Amino acid sequence: MNLPEDIVINILTRLPLQSIVRFKLVCIEWKLLMGSAYFVDLCRNSNWSIIFYGNYKSEDSKLEEVKLDLPHDGHDGTHHHQSYNLLFSSVSSQSKKKVKEIRVVSCADGLVLLRVKEEEDEMVYYVGNPVIAQWIQLPLSSRPPRNAHTYPSHYSDTGLVTRMRNGALLGYKVVRIKNKSWNRSYFWEWSFEVFSSDTGKWRVVQVSCPGHGVGMCNPSNPVSLNGKLHWLESSRVIVHDFFSCDDQVLRVLPLPRRTQSTEWQRCKRICTTSQGYFVIIDVGYVEEVKSYNVRVMRLNTEFWNWEKVWEINMASVGLGFKCLPIAINFFDSNIIYLWDLDHNCFLACNVRTHKKLCGTRKDVTADKEDTFCHESRYSLLQFVPTLQAIHT
């Protein structure tokens, strides 16, 4: 049966990405269609996920993808939970040694950085695409530590950055930060260890700090966007572009000011990405209405200033203090995601149309989500599935 191409695309984009990967083998026409930039963009927009991650130890812990989309034209608003445990089993099979633990370090443009603990406590890194189950083991640092069985302890996991052009992956870098750079003291210079896919090697990069130097309390889980890493601190954001020609200076920006009112006395900040911007979500509790005031600010990198996207009290859309804001949609900044403490499920709410959608109820055996949602300051890793293969 010969169907029009637009109907074929409409059918295929509704399928799980793992099925799409298999269907590329059906015929040359489907392979070319699924490899087109138009088809890839459709898949990305319909398969955005919030990803929770943690240590992977046999069956005690798992990496979960949580998909939740508000209904829109051509989409029925379905949602699901999907475990990536089976996909990560390919990492274990690829390793020549017994894998004791796998930890997700960072996500960027459909790629995932894993830290794998093998037998004898040897640490190695893998970069891969979990959708197509492709993983590449990175070489060890050229500067091995005194203890040959462990990865260099004087550098700590930081993040993963990518270089994209017209939706195509051109390269990536894995970034580690020297431990002394992020203690409570202030330093004029930071030291990074960077692996580049272009060279296949690690190198040490020294980066200057403006003003009187910069210290960092928490180097883990920076937000990756457009080749830059963004670290959220108590009163500022630290940004560095690892693909810039002028890559020797850190940029330090003060966070947008909060108004002096009681609603910001019990508050938290979330940093994430949406519509190609680095975004700060300010969440303040308002006692009078027993709900949260939410303000979304985005960083304009052309002028390096903050722009207000929207501000709303969640009571105006019928959501109280048991619905904790956790993220906004990667493609639409008007859609906010919340965690419902009473029903143990995700909620999606469009603040412009006031449409709401509930996710599938989860059997929560621990306070993982509660603790995560109540943290006063955190960075959220977002995972956008892709069909792109990694260059070797």
Side-chain angles (χ1 to χ4, degrees):
M1 182 186 298
N2 293 323
L3 295 176
E5 185 176 277
D6 57 340
I7 295 180
V8 174
I9 290 176
N10 194 21
I11 294 173
L12 292 177
T13 53
R14 294 169 181 265
L15 299 175
L17 289 179
Q18 293 86 349
S19 299
I20 294 176
V21 172
R22 295 199 304 271
F23 290 162
K24 291 175 71 174
L25 303 176
V26 171
C27 61
I28 295 178
E29 289 77 11
W30 279 24
K31 180 179 180 180
L32 294 175
L33 174 63
M34 297 177 191
S36 66
Y38 175 70
F39 187 87
V40 170
D41 285 343
L42 287 178
C43 288
R44 285 169 59 90
N45 278 276
S46 62
N47 287 282
W48 176 78
S49 306
I50 301 173
I51 194 166
F52 282 93
Y53 61 96
N55 287 335
Y56 178 96
K57 298 179 180 177
S58 62
E59 298 180 356
D60 297 331
S61 173
K62 61 183 178 181
L63 185 81
E64 236 181 14
E65 176 197 6
V66 181
K67 176 183 172 185
L68 182 62
D69 294 324
L70 283 175
H72 54 78
D73 294 339
H75 191 269
D76 59 2
T78 57
H79 40 75
H80 68 269
H81 296 268
Q82 176 183 350
S83 173
Y84 275 139
N85 286 356
L86 293 178
L87 296 179
F88 284 144
S89 64
S90 60
V91 175
S92 300
S93 62
Q94 183 173 330
S95 175
K96 297 179 181 179
K97 300 180 180 180
K98 182 179 179 181
V99 173
K100 298 173 62 177
E101 179 181 322
I102 298 178
R103 181 173 178 81
V104 178
V105 177
S106 185
C107 304
D109 292 308
L111 300 188
V112 177
L113 172 63
L114 301 179
R115 187 184 70 212
V116 178
K117 186 176 182 180
E118 298 179 334
E119 58 184 343
E120 299 180 351
D121 292 337
E122 185 176 26
M123 294 291 186
V124 295
Y125 286 106
Y126 284 83
V127 173
N129 182 340
V131 175
I132 61 177
Q134 179 198 14
W135 299 98
I136 297 174
Q137 181 179 339
L138 302 188
L140 294 179
S141 169
S142 59
R143 306 175 69 180
R146 295 178 181 176
N147 183 354
H149 296 298
T150 59
Y151 205 82
S153 58
H154 50 283
Y155 283 94
S156 297
D157 296 332
T158 298
L160 171 71
V161 290
T162 57
R163 183 171 70 236
M164 308 289 293
R165 181 180 298 168
N166 299 326
L169 175 69
L170 301 183
Y172 64 87
K173 291 185 178 182
V174 174
V175 180
R176 293 162 52 81
I177 187 172
K178 196 165 187 177
N179 289 340
K180 75 169 188 177
S181 299
W182 57 269
N183 64 20
R184 294 184 180 275
S185 302
Y186 281 68
F187 288 88
W188 289 94
E189 191 174 67
W190 285 10
S191 180
F192 292 102
E193 188 181 37
V194 180
F195 173 85
S196 172
S197 62
D198 294 335
T199 64
K201 298 179 180 179
W202 293 88
R203 73 184 182 102
V204 175
V205 178
Q206 304 294 333
V207 179
S208 301
C209 303
H212 300 288
V214 178
M216 188 189 300
C217 296
N218 182 18
S220 301
N221 301 338
V223 171
S224 177
L225 179 66
N226 299 329
K228 304 179 185 69
L229 288 181
H230 304 72
W231 292 271
L232 176 64
E233 289 293 293
S234 57
S235 61
R236 63 196 173 194
V237 171
I238 302 170
V239 185
H240 188 62
D241 189 340
F242 287 89
F243 284 102
S244 172
C245 296
D246 182 21
D247 62 352
Q248 303 304 309
V249 180
L250 287 168
R251 185 180 292 271
V252 181
L253 301 167
L255 288 171
R257 292 186 177 181
R258 292 165 169 159
T259 55
Q260 298 298 320
S261 62
T262 55
E263 67 189 47
W264 300 117
Q265 293 179 8
R266 294 170 57 189
C267 60
K268 66 176 180 177
R269 272 188 167 125
I270 309 161
C271 65
T272 184
T273 57
S274 181
Q275 294 182 312
Y277 289 91
F278 173 75
V279 172
I280 291 289
I281 308 171
D282 267 327
V283 182
Y285 180 71
V286 183
E287 181 70 34
E288 291 80 3
V289 293
K290 298 291 190 291
S291 188
Y292 298 97
N293 193 76
V294 179
R295 182 181 66 167
V296 175
M297 306 288 291
R298 69 185 186 187
L299 179 61
N300 184 333
T301 54
E302 182 178 358
F303 303 103
W304 290 102
N305 63 345
W306 296 99
E307 299 174 341
K308 183 175 172 180
V309 182
W310 52 262
E311 184 171 359
I312 192 174
N313 190 288
M314 300 311 298
S316 65
V317 294
L319 299 175
F321 72 99
K322 288 297 186 71
C323 296
L324 299 167
I326 59 169
I328 57 175
N329 187 276
F330 186 86
F331 299 102
D332 187 348
S333 58
N334 287 312
I335 298 177
I336 184 170
Y337 293 85
L338 309 98
W339 177 253
D340 189 328
L341 295 174
D342 284 336
H343 300 94
N344 293 335
C345 68
F346 284 102
L347 292 175
C349 177
N350 189 313
V351 297
R352 183 173 53 83
T353 65
H354 291 191
K355 286 184 179 179
K356 293 190 284 290
L357 178 69
C358 295
T360 305
R361 185 184 179 97
K362 295 178 64 180
D363 294 327
V364 180
T365 57
D367 296 330
K368 177 181 176 182
E369 284 84 357
D370 296 10
T371 303
F372 177 76
C373 294
H374 279 294
E375 288 182 355
S376 61
R377 186 174 74 252
Y378 61 86
S379 303
L380 179 71
L381 297 181
Q382 302 200 50
F383 178 69
V384 181
T386 179
L387 300 176
Q388 295 203 48
I390 306 172
H391 304 294
T392 58

